[in-house]
């Protein structure tokens, strides 16, 4: 039986990171909203419970609470930030608004040894952590002791080791708490006793069995987008059911240079998976003519994609199941903090689900995985490293990397410039150090002189960001020489571009979407 850790979510923007850190320790974990956590307490193999942070104040009327059975289940419990506060409030302690709020980097002093800190922090040491709270615990429940303090939180970490209850005011799941992952591993493996044997090989074997059981002898249709998620979904399902799977690749003409050919070649030649390739680029360009508003572009692309996909599925003879590359963040984000499950299932274009008239049941083998875990599974399945390691690419493709109107000439310019930019990054050995890099063709023209002639051509923007958690990002600090060489190549090799600029803005915390 698989060991697992339950994470009760109170709405923190970084709850996903708790699950990631636990899984990095080789222990399977799942996130459940506090409203539905009661049923999860009966999961088979459950070894421990983590209470996440959240935006509410414990002392406010009708603020979220953990199910009372969390503290009566006889399992280790770890509260983080709001999780500490609700634990204290529910067990007889006290939480009040603080006149010394803490947001950002802080330091805690270790006051006592305990199982959570064992082998990581020692008594008397000071360590950097990340705080994000306006309330604070002012009295701890009976049986607890203080194990760490900070300037703004006298109960920065507390423990009741007899009942194996632990809590911290700081966020140990973020990279800004350097030892946080080790503390979470201590909780999962040492305190909860989880074996730490969860792996992609284990997941692959288990999921193939589940797919066979779910599908039986029915047919499955999978919509390929050219991205990693749908490709891994297709290869995994094909390994489970073979030729019962049919893949449909709708080429909307908004992909990167030579990407459509690469997808077709990989699936038909390398994996020999039945594939219907539909070149619908003309239809998409016609539908996008004169449209400049970004969200309207998304909706047009999404609706047309569904129409084309439905028509091709009908030509293929139909199927009982639709395979979809839904990831765990999609599942989490579709559950609102206050309202329960969303009525829409994300498609791989992130623009809405398929219509009910298709009457197909979903197969979503990746819905338990994070993006980096999908890449690991792709490697486990033998997908080419160059494909598995590709930067994220939006479903609407170049349409949202071309602000303003869409036209074939602009798309061709953007494709060639983007390919040069990525080629430069790869030649410099920087591709794997960057989370995402892309070019944007701006709706701006600038006057210039090239050689002996005057130009009035377009401006191209370049962006590259780094990220360790997918929640925040910083612009990549390229050397000026790299940017100068890249700009020179683009201007020399791509007719229609006269100026190149580099975007150095950062992505603020808490925003998930990249495009």
């Amino acid at each position: 039986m698989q060991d697992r850790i339950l994470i009760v979510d109170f709405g923190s923007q970084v709850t996903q990171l708790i699950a990631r850190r636990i899984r990095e320790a080789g222990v399977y974990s799942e996130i459940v909203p506090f409203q539905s956590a009661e049923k999860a307490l009966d999961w088979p193999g459950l070894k421990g419970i983590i209470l996440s942070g959240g935006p509410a104040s414990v002392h406010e009327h009708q603020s979220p609470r953990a199910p009372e059975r969390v503290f009566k289940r006889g399992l280790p419990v770890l509260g983080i930030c709001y999780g500490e506060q609700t634990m204290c409030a529910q067990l007889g302690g006290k939480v009040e608004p603080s006149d010394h709020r803490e947001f950002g980097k802080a330091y805690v002093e270790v006051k006592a040894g305990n199982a959570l800190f064992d082998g990581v922090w020692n008594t008397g040491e000071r360590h950097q952590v990340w705080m994000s709270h306006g309330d604070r615990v002012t009295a701890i429940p009976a049986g607890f002791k203080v194990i760490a303090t900070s300037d703004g939180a006298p109960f920065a970490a507390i423990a009741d080791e007899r009942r194996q209850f632990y809590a911290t005011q700081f966020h140990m799941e973020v990279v800004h708490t350097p030892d946080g992952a080790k503390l979470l591993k201590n909780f999962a493996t040492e305190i909860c006793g989880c074996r730490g044997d969860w792996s992609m090989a284990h997941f692959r074997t288990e999921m193939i069995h589940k797919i066979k059981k779910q599908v039986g002898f029915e047919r499955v249709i999978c919509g390929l987008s050219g991205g990693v998620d749908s490709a891994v979904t297709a290869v995994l399902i094909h390994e489970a059911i073979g030729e019962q799977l049919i893949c449909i690749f709708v080429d909307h003409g908004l992909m990167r240079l030579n990407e459509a050919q690469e997808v077709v070649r990989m699936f038909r030649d390398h994996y020999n998976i039945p594939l219907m390739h539909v070149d619908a680029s003309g239809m998409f360009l016609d539908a996008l003519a004169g449209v400049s508003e970004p969200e309207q572009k998304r909706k047009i692309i999404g609706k047309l994609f569904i129409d084309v996909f439905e028509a091709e599925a009908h030509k293929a003879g139909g199927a009982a199941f639709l395979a979809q590359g839904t990831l765990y963040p999609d599942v989490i984000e579709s559950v609102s903090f206050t309202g329960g499950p969303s009525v829409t299932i994300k498609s791989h274009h992130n623009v809405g689900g398929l219509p009910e008239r298709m009457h197909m049941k979903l197969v979503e083998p990746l819905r338990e995985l994070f993006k980096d875990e999908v890449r690991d599974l792709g490697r486990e399945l033998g997908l080419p490293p160059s494909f598995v390691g590709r930067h994220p690419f939006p479903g609407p493709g170049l349409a949202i990397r071309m602000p303003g109107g869409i036209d074939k000439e602009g798309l061709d310019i953007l494709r060639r410039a983007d390919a040069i930019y990525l080629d430069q990054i790869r030649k410099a050995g920087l591709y794997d150090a960057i989370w995402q890099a892309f070019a944007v063709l701006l709706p701006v023209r600038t006057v210039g002189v090239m050689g002996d002639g005057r130009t009035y051509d377009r401006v191209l923007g370049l962006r590259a960001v780094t990220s360790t958690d997918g929640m925040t990002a910083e612009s990549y600090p390229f050397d000026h020489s790299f940017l100068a060489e890249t700009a020179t190549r683009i201007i020399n090799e791509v007719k229609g571009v006269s100026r190149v600029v580099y975007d150095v803005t950062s992505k603020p915390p808490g925003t998930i979407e990249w495009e």
Side-chain angles (χ1 to χ4, degrees), residues 73 76 116 132 171 178 254 302 390:
R73 182 72 168 73
L116 186 64
S132 182
H171 287 272
L254 303 168
R390 286 197 308 181

Side-chain angles (χ1 to χ4, degrees), residues 385-398:
S386 59
F387 185 86
V388 174
R390 286 197 308 181
H391 292 171
F393 190 65
L398 299 180

